[in-house]
Amino acid sequence: MSSESNLINTVEAFLGVSLGSESAVVILTTTVAVILGLLIFLWRRSSDRGRDVKPLVVPKAVAIPAEEDEAEAAVGKTKVTVFFGTQTGTAEGFAKALAEEIKARYDKATIKVVDLDDYAVDDDQYEEKLKKEALAFFMLATYGDGEPTDNAARFYKWFTEGKEREAWLQQLTYGVFGLGNRQYEHFNKIAKVVDELLSEQGAKRLVPAGLGDDDQCIEDDFAAWRELLWPELDLLLRDEDDISAVSTPYTAVIPEYRVVIHDPIVTSCEDKFLNMANGNASFDIHHPCRVNVAVQRELHTLESDRSCIHLEFDASGTGITYETGDHVGVYAENCDETVEEAGRLLGQPLDLLFSIHTDKDDGTSLGSSLPPTFPGPCTVRTALACYADLLNSPRKAALSALAAHAIEPDEAERLKFLASPQGKDEYSQWVVGSQRSLLEVMAEFPSAKPPLGVFFAAIAPRLQPRYYSISSSPRYASHRVHVTCALVYGPSPTGRIHKGVCSTWMKNAVPLEKSHNSSWAPIFIRPSNFKLPVDPLTPIIMVGPGTGLAPFRGFLQERLALKEDGVQLGPALLFFGCRNRRMDFIYEDELNNFVEQGILSELILAFSREGPQKEYVQHKMMDRASYIWNIISQGGYLYVCGDAKGMAKDVHRTLHTIVQEQENVESSKAEAIVKKLHTEGRYLRDVW
């Protein structure tokens, strides 16, 4: 008690006032709290030092809170919402570009860009929120085998499979732009379906759906579709007095982050993530999990001039779980050679420590067209290795940004021409047709050295994860995620040797079995519908040449585990193909063992380079046409995995022929039967 009185007397003397005991307690408590807070702050800054290592976090745009959403529709303004479903970021970029132009053209518009996955917390909210939309645009990519992108999957499932609805969207005026590739069977399926359903449910279509083709120049397709919008939007978003007025030509602003250069002693953000325990968090594309490479081995023989890697990620202690048939997303890095070339072309020291920001120094936004930032501060080396797509061909918008920073007038004009509508043919031939990478283009225009803020915002897209069908079963390998990866390596039309980013990383990966300082990567699991039948007695037919074997290796491991548990299995056929049994017959011993153990009823092989005639899996299927159709018509499942542009199309045509001949029906009837199999979930494809 006496010590407390002495302390109060001291405080009174210092402040020059008389305090009661309660006042003193309040002041003392507050003072202690402030001092403790200051000490913690100083301790965290002093401990915030470390070496430059690789980050784990992949940023995602923050969803708009509901209260902000409701407050946006200001008096006299028209609310415009631009939704996007994206897998690689292109649809998101188009959505932001459209929003920026609408904002610049129309004062009456209050515009918002929305990730479809963030639009509603649960499915029930979709209907409630869509009823409040008056004018909306949907930028929708089609991915894989006619599937929605990951961030649009929940919305698409709700919209297409939900309860029967009458015309309930009469208040909505809309436009749809699709992103697809004509080389794939289900070209722009998602955009077409959503466009049709919106119209059927009462919404008014503002302009015909745009169908972008990434096999050519999808930016030109988007620009052409956008031009159709303005006359229609003029009628909706301009006053009558302004409709006849000539619009001011719109010039898109080149996005640029604010860049902050840091002192080398400041902590690199990567060190924080290196020391974080993985725990039992939920991992996804935006929150991958760091895992070590446990096993890496070559699957081809020495006679082969190609390469295929078997790689195992060690997921023990991470909380990562998966099911047989799922996919794994892997964030690989650009190789050192690529990173060093990029640094030289930019004229930037690779050890420079910097961070990027989407706001100005005063905290105001730099604009909604900027992509999400990546974690910082980090070195230029890390940013180029982990976040920049340097080896794909640049989009036209990237060429425009390079032109703006080209010192030589001739180079600037040439870049502007390639990016213009007039330069469409030359862009198609010189950039796309020749498969020129971003770095190759930059090397052709050496005077174009954009600042880091422009390079990462407008020129180099984000390096995307690579997806692989998991080639294991958790019943068989509970703490391992197996990947079967063909090395991408070969000359491009320009003579450059193209090295696939992820396959090259896997080829060079050092496993734990060879070194304690093993390679590691951020990974996450993407669920798939490519699953074995619920009833193990159901017959299955699997078609998977080359690395298309991957998910079926997982299927067979699953069947082995079931059999060891005493479960009775139905028949299983596998059609596998490769070039030559002496060179690229991957997992040969395993497959033969599966046959011997009764896990696989029959292994049918096609070797395309052994005989005088090339023989593929579809030819072997025709040889077994009667048997195949007998299995399918009695409730069996057909699975296909592999190349969508070639093999999967050939197998689909073969199935159509088998149905037509075995059922003795017309072509249209055969296609209807095949479609029914697909709808019933008995004809499943995992194609890329």
Side-chain angles (χ1 to χ4, degrees), residues 8-39:
I8 291 172
N9 291 335
T10 302
V11 173
E12 287 178 336
F14 177 76
L15 296 176
V17 296
S18 178
L19 301 172
S21 60
E22 290 185 9
S23 301
V25 170
V26 171
I27 290 175
L28 286 171
T29 304
T30 303
T31 303
V32 170
V34 170
I35 292 170
L36 282 174
L38 181 60
L39 288 172

Side-chain angles (χ1 to χ4, degrees), residues 406-566:
I407 297 172
E408 291 294 331
D410 289 348
E411 291 186 11
E413 287 305 311
R414 168 85 168 139
L415 284 164
K416 287 178 185 176
F417 176 73
L418 287 168
S420 70
Q422 295 75 26
K424 178 177 181 179
D425 291 341
E426 192 156 351
Y427 172 83
S428 178
Q429 181 181 348
W430 192 78
V431 178
V432 180
S434 298
Q435 299 172 20
R436 273 185 168 80
S437 69
L438 171 60
L439 294 188
E440 283 183 286
V441 171
M442 291 178 67
E444 292 281 342
F445 302 95
S447 78
K449 294 197 181 327
L452 292 175
V454 172
F455 181 76
F456 287 107
I459 295 172
R462 288 290 178 273
L463 189 60
Q464 297 296 314
R466 271 47 174 182
Y467 292 99
Y468 298 91
S469 302
I470 297 175
S471 57
S472 57
S473 165
R475 282 177 174 264
Y476 182 84
S478 57
H479 300 300
R480 295 283 177 89
V481 178
H482 294 194
V483 172
T484 306
C485 171
L487 177 66
V488 178
Y489 182 93
S492 71
T494 61
R496 169 181 63 94
I497 297 299
H498 176 69
K499 301 176 184 179
V501 173
C502 199
S503 63
T504 299
W505 179 86
M506 290 187 178
K507 175 74 173 175
N508 298 324
V510 178
L512 276 169
E513 61 184 4
K514 292 183 180 178
S515 170
H516 291 300
N517 188 25
S518 66
S519 301
W520 62 270
I523 72 168
F524 60 95
I525 303 300
R526 186 175 68 179
S528 164
N529 294 322
F530 202 72
K531 305 295 182 192
L532 282 166
V534 176
D535 184 357
L537 285 171
T538 303
I540 62 171
I541 301 167
M542 299 167 283
V543 183
T547 55
L549 173 62
F552 303 133
R553 181 173 180 264
F555 280 14
L556 295 171
Q557 288 182 359
E558 178 98 353
R559 285 169 62 88
L560 174 61
L562 288 170
K563 186 173 184 180
E564 289 176 348
D565 287 343

